[in-house]
């Protein structure tokens, strides 16, 4: 059973657009010392879409080798075809991953009805040697996985949870209501971490936890400890920086924030551009204004 | 300062499409005996859009005359033009309304930028003799009032709150963070009542409270009393019927549910149709399955 | 049978936001001298949404009285309720209107399925003393009337045409294919006037024809005369100013363009604002660049 | 300079989901005997998203080897990263492709502003050994390439055209207006082939031309020959089957139509499913009703 806070780790690149393993190592060590339950490699914030198949495998191998052994490593393996997703899931299982996180196919979005998506995910559940998380990410895919589809998938013995970035607290509530207690319902954005916990989520997968892992973990422990007012206050404090590094400015801002808080973000890969000086200032201001940076 | 649970009351019509004042009276008496803090007349669920100007005034007059004196009556007065909205707000103030609830103009949605909307609402705030609630209803208007616009409006002395039906718990959180404590941040749908309270809302305006006022009020009192688990459980229990009578089947289903639970829903006005027998069954099943009907 | 070019006329307001009948008269006289087949009063560009019921009736009466007797006057009568739409249609028929143009109800957009919309429009067709045009305007209403619904409606003896502002040339083509020759399929935006004529439209209702009626009419006569290259060239020439006065800057820009080209646009009503000086310059530049202003 | 009708060819698969080269060969021979100007390999209809990198290269090599030498082969090479797109473009140039067709990166759609997209496409234009077509496909990517961005890109010496599947005839008109005569403005859907030609397009890339290449080519020759009425009639005749095999039922329906008209469609790859019997009937009925099948 999966619970606790995870972060979909960024992939630092060198100025020549190569994976910067040195910076990655630095980050892995720091995350390893936090209360994070684990990390997600090849997630959206890891720029998985910009990595070739061989880069993906090399990166996963490296991360598993160098990350804290007592924490989980989940790997994003969603490809457009069912077959390629299964093949990649098998490969990362071989490398020692604890679970896979699978985006729905989305290029042919008009064709992706519930029947077809059900078959896709259950075929993957059947064939993957390790547990499967469903990844609902309408902002990037243009597809929302309905709570009824996910509830149906939750009954597959090898499908163990969902990362839901839809932003709908109602949908998340329906998932809590309609799945068993051991099915992990994880919000996928720190903007509604506390409300999600309040309604029954047991963990989360949060881009913001790349830079503020301890604060994210603290919202969870405060809530568990019944400290509602403090959890609420910390949630409100995190809103602004979270909004900037996720929906407003995205990965380049997240990498810039890492540079400011003792992590090493590095460059993004083209077509993305490093953050402009002006926008970097926005990130810094938000960190200062809410007390994350002195 | 406004707080507590409100319901935007439905308008029952006769088979001849006239306002059915007898049914209205029945409902007003029952709502008057609940813990509701008040009601909203001429809201979306009241089919305000189907009423002529003279029907609106007659209805408001009737409701104020016959509703519990110790509760508030808020009136929906949003029209497309600034001038007509002000005129209607003055008229209902004259009739004894406690506040107005104002939808943004939305027919010319492409033109509705923040500057223009700011002027619209602050002009109304200036001229309305009674306090103004902003009404964010993107599902019907196609316009989302950003939290930064609403925060700016909250500093107008006569703009006292917002009903937010956007469904975004993040946006609601930003409103709690960016407005003073006496500004009423009200979620506009019972699907996320408890998460909204958890993050700091002090009240709500809920279509579901037409039929289940006591349950809606109980979520609030449980939360205030620190009974988090019970509040969560009641929230999950309400999800299905709420979804049916709001987003899925809407007003005709809400009216049907009223008929099943001791209220009198009556018919909707054309172009709406009364609920089909098959869909009425859906409503009934949801009420039974979750224990609201024996 | 309706054909030829119509324009949905703007409503000039004084600085005090009253209807400026003097300016209206000036415009009516000029439009009367053009090749326009007629005008539409109370259309979207006429700010119908900002007019009270009594203003609507007074305006229609004035326009019919003062406009060229040999041209048609169509009146926008769409209200949210079926009943009020019928009542207004009867009233303007009484005043001498030649036809009505009816927007679908759209506030409760989630409820507006084809069955319900079919009943709405056919009830109006049954009761209206004068012919009915269906008005498809998804940009403002959030509802697209499918070609299959409109084809079905076209078989009602009193429903005689459609103004389609969807921008879909495919949908327009389907309407040409699926309706009888005497059903008027009118594009509702000058941006695709020529392609629409090419695929079989026999007329159009164009905001741009408020200011450039002769150019709009000339695209039609060129096409009819087999002068494809010239029609194409004139179409391309009109694109920029059309885009500015419709989708990009809307009514205030259309009014500004009128002031520049010998018409009298006057002010818009609140919440709309008169065009800023900077944007007025954009309008003027587009008119000059493409040779509509020296 | 590119002109004339192209088709983005489907990729037939065996029941075991392998590329069916035998069926491909059959189709290549038939297309080779038509008036098509060329084909597009690895387009959306070719299920490029379901092919591994090595399959892509093998398929391109095979097609170039077996297709008519007097016709063009354009290859879809758009990947999410700029670098991988350049590498694939170089590889297919090496294999003898005549041009590449490049989708915008779209997974991180919120980040894809005009500046970033301009750099992406111009970097590819700089490095690709063969001419580049921009591919605007909002339905699948969620990104619309504005006409101003494309006009700017058209000034790059190695960017020679656009396939625009946006469905906006206005946008297509702006492209004709704002690009040089030798820049190929190609509509990407047969639903508006004739209107696009009327407004100035010189060719097209059409999924429908997989099955009805001669009809598609005939619309072009009729238009060029001044036979407006016949071109219009043929356009209207093609609407229904085109809508079914593209927007309504997509690739599985296109493959089914191929089977009915002497081509060999084969199976789609998972997650897609072969067309159900009931939907196959829809395809057949549309072909019969409009006289494409006896």
């Amino acid at each position: 059973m999966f619970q606790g806070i995870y972060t979909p780790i960024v992939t630092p690149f060198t100025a020549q657009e190569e994976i910067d393993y040195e910076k990655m190592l630095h980050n892995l060590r720091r995350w390893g010392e936090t209360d994070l339950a684990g990390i997600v490699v090849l997630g959206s914030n890891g720029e998985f879409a910009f990595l070739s198949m061989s880069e993906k495998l090399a990166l996963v191998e490296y991360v598993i080798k160098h990350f804290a052994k007592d924490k989980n490593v989940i790997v994003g393996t969603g490809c457009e075809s069912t077959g390629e997703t299964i093949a990649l899931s098998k490969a990362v299982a071989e490398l020692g991953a604890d679970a896979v996180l699978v985006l729905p196919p989305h290029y042919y979005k008009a064709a992706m009805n519930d029947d077809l998506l059900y078959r896709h995910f259950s075929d993957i559940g059947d064939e993957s040697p390790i547990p499967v998380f469903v990844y609902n990410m309408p902002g990037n895919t243009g597809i929302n996985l309905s709570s009824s589809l996910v509830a149906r998938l939750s009954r597959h013995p090898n499908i163990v949870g969902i990362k839901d970035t839809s932003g709908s607290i109602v949908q998340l509530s329906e998932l809590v209501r309609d799945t068993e207690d051991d099915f992990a319902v994880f919000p996928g954005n720190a903007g509604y971490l506390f409300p999600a916990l309040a309604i029954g989520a047991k963990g989360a997968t949060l881009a913001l936890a790349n830079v503020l892992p301890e604060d994210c973990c603290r919202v969870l422990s405060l809530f568990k400890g019944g400290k509602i007012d403090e959890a609420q206050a910390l949630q409100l404090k995190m809103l602004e920086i979270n909004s900037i590094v996720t929906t407003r400015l995205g990965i380049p801002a997240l990498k810039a924030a890492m540079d400011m808080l003792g992590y090493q973000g590095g460059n993004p890969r083209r077509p993305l551009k490093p953050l402009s000086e002006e926008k970097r200032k926005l990130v810094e201001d938000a960190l200062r204004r809410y007390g994350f940076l002195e």
Side-chain angles (χ1 to χ4, degrees), chain A:
Chain A
M1 185 183 163
F2 291 81
Q3 50 186 6
I5 307 296
Y6 287 74
T7 193
I9 63 172
V10 308
T11 306
F13 294 100
T14 66
Q16 289 72 41
E17 300 192 61
E18 296 301 319
I19 297 177
D20 191 328
Y21 282 105
E22 220 168 302
K23 292 189 169 172
M24 179 59 95
L25 185 60
H26 171 90
N27 296 337
L28 288 172
R29 285 188 180 145
R30 284 208 49 185
W31 290 319
E33 295 157 6
T34 67
D35 288 333
L36 289 175
I39 57 178
V40 177
V41 199
L42 304 183
S44 300
N45 287 286
E47 293 173 67
F48 82 93
F50 300 152
L51 299 173
S52 70
M53 193 52 82
S54 59
E55 286 177 319
K56 286 180 180 179
L57 294 171
L59 180 64
V60 169
E61 187 169 16
Y62 184 90
V63 166
I64 291 175
K65 189 165 163 198
H66 293 90
F67 190 55
K69 297 302 166 237
D70 60 329
K71 295 184 189 297
N72 286 324
V73 175
I74 302 176
V75 181
T77 58
C79 302
E80 287 289 329
S81 80
T82 308
E84 201 165 8
T85 306
I86 291 170
L88 182 54
S89 298
K90 286 179 172 170
V92 303
E94 194 85 4
L95 294 172
D98 296 294
V100 292
L101 176 65
V102 179
L103 268 180
H106 51 276
Y107 185 69
Y108 302 99
K109 35 183 75 55
M112 294 299 127
N113 58 45
D114 273 14
D115 268 359
L116 209 143
L117 289 167
Y118 180 79
R119 186 185 69 172
H120 176 76
F121 281 110
S122 68
D123 283 0
I124 294 165
D126 291 348
E127 301 258 7
S128 170
I130 50 179
V132 174
F133 271 79
V134 172
Y135 184 7
N136 191 31
M137 181 34 135
N140 289 15
T141 65
I143 291 178
N144 182 43
L145 303 175
S146 68
S147 52
S148 63
L149 171 64
V150 177
R152 215 174 133 208
L153 287 169
S154 77
R155 298 195 274 277
H156 188 291
N158 201 29
I159 298 181
V160 300
I162 180 170
K163 170 179 180 178
D164 189 345
T165 315
S166 71
S168 165
I169 195 77
V170 173
Q171 196 164 307
L172 211 75
S173 305
E174 290 170 342
L175 291 172
V176 169
R177 184 194 63 190
D178 293 340
T179 62
E180 298 295 323
D181 267 3
D182 60 356
F183 185 79
V185 176
F186 282 11
N189 188 294
Y192 49 101
L193 171 58
F194 168 62
L197 297 173
I199 202 60
K202 300 293 196 311
T205 306
L206 309 171
L208 186 67
N210 272 284
V211 282
L212 297 174
E214 295 301 14
D215 292 281
C216 292
C217 292
R218 202 151 161 266
V219 172
L220 176 58
S221 61
L222 285 170
F223 175 74
K224 279 182 172 174
K227 301 190 170 164
I228 300 299
D229 289 352
E230 288 175 60
Q232 188 200 100
L234 181 50
Q235 174 67 56
L236 294 181
K237 181 181 162 184
M238 299 190 326
L239 282 179
E240 181 72 3
I241 185 62
N242 179 65
S243 150
I244 289 176
V245 302
T246 59
T247 49
R248 273 197 273 163
L249 299 181
I251 293 169
L254 180 57
K255 289 188 157 180
M258 291 179 74
D259 292 338
M260 295 172 199
L261 288 168
Y263 292 87
Q264 301 191 352
N267 288 310
R269 213 173 228 190
R270 277 183 303 164
L272 294 181
K273 295 182 174 183
L275 215 58
S276 67
E277 211 38 61
E278 182 194 10
K279 286 181 176 161
R280 192 173 293 267
K281 199 79 184 48
L282 267 180
V283 174
E284 202 185 313
D285 286 354
L287 287 172
R288 280 192 205 289
R289 184 150 29 109
Y290 289 97
F292 297 110
L293 196 66
E294 282 155 31

